[in-house]
Amino acid sequence: MEENILLVGFMGSGKSVVGKELSKILNRDFIDTDTEIEKEEKRSIKDIFNNDGEDYFRNLESKLLETLVDKNNCIISTGGGIVLRENNRELLKKIGKVIFLHADVEHILNNVKNDDTRPLLQTEDYATKVSEMLESREDKYLSSADIIIQTSGKDVESIAEEIITLL
Ligand code: S3P
C-alpha cells in the first residue's frame, strides 16, 4: 500500500497536468478535488461561486478533503485555495505526502490568461490580483509542503520525473 501524493499550488502551476502524468507513470488512481466537487454538485466551479459564493465552495472543498483520509495509492490534485483553512492544511498532511508546485508569477499569468473558468480571477486587473494572492498564500503552501518543486520553464514529464526521484 502506497502513501497518497497530493499536489498543492497556485492556479495555473500545473497541478492537474502533472497529477495526470504521475498517475500514468506510477499507475495510480488520479483524483482532482475540483472535478470531484463539480461531479458531486453537477455544476461547474464557476456556477458554484457565482450562485452560492466562495464560502459555500470552501465548505464543499473541506468536506471532500475529509473523505480523502481513507484513500491510499492515489495522486490527488487540489484546488489552489485548499491551503487557506488551517484545518485543511492539517488534513493534507494526514492524507499523504504534500508536493508544492511552485511557479513564478509570469508562468502563472501566462497559464491563467483568457481563462474564464477561474472565478477568483475574473477582474480587469487580474495580474495585480494574482500577485496579491500569491503573496498572501505563499507561507501557507510552504508550511503544508513536504517537498517543493519549481515548475517554471520545465515540461510536465520532467516535473513528474523530478517528483518521483524525490519521493
Ligand atoms: C481556486 C483555485 C481553483 C478552484 C477555485 C478556487 C483558488 O482551482 O478551486 O476556482 O482559490 O485558488 P485550480 O487551482 O485548479 O485552478
Side-chain angles (χ1 to χ4, degrees):
M1 205 154 63
E2 301 279 353
E3 190 181 21
N4 297 309
I5 299 171
L6 294 120
L7 300 175
V8 302
F10 203 76
M11 294 175 261
S13 58
K15 297 170 303 239
S16 299
V17 280
V18 171
K20 282 180 193 156
E21 182 68 18
L22 280 173
S23 110
K24 202 169 77 185
I25 301 176
L26 298 173
N27 196 22
R28 302 221 224 153
D29 285 346
F30 175 67
I31 298 173
D32 181 310
T33 59
D34 283 344
T35 308
E36 292 305 310
I37 291 169
E38 288 181 328
K39 272 198 268 180
E40 190 72 27
E41 287 281 300
K42 300 187 180 61
R43 53 186 175 144
S44 67
I45 301 290
K46 188 178 164 185
D47 279 354
I48 300 172
F49 268 75
N50 287 345
N51 293 310
D52 294 298
E54 180 170 351
D55 267 4
Y56 183 89
F57 170 77
R58 298 291 172 212
N59 290 337
L60 295 174
E61 194 171 52
S62 300
K63 245 169 67 191
L64 176 73
L65 208 55
E66 276 168 27
T67 68
L68 300 181
V69 176
D70 300 327
K71 299 269 183 199
N72 284 299
N73 302 319
C74 292
I75 311 293
I76 304 168
S77 149
T78 60
I82 203 101
V83 296
L84 289 174
R85 293 185 172 178
E86 190 184 350
N87 194 43
N88 287 1
R89 298 200 292 276
E90 279 161 18
L91 273 175
L92 288 169
K93 295 208 178 283
K94 282 194 196 136
I95 295 168
K97 184 155 272 181
V98 182
I99 321 269
F100 170 29
L101 298 188
H102 184 285
D104 56 33
V105 67
E106 292 78 21
H107 178 100
I108 288 169
L109 288 175
N110 200 40
N111 283 350
V112 301
K113 70 171 179 233
N114 306 324
D115 179 353
D116 76 342
T117 65
R118 291 182 162 112
L120 292 176
L121 301 181
Q122 301 318 300
T123 153
E124 282 282 298
D125 191 6
Y126 71 93
T128 306
K129 183 84 190 280
V130 165
S131 302
E132 287 169 0
M133 288 172 78
L134 268 174
E135 201 181 310
S136 73
R137 288 179 178 184
E138 177 93 354
D139 283 356
K140 298 186 170 76
Y141 292 128
L142 289 171
S143 70
S144 308
D146 295 306
I147 296 175
I148 303 165
I149 306 273
Q150 303 294 336
T151 62
S152 302
K154 295 178 187 163
D155 59 34
V156 174
E157 292 78 15
S158 35
I159 298 167
E161 291 299 344
E162 194 177 331
I163 292 173
I164 290 168
T165 59
L166 293 173
L167 286 176

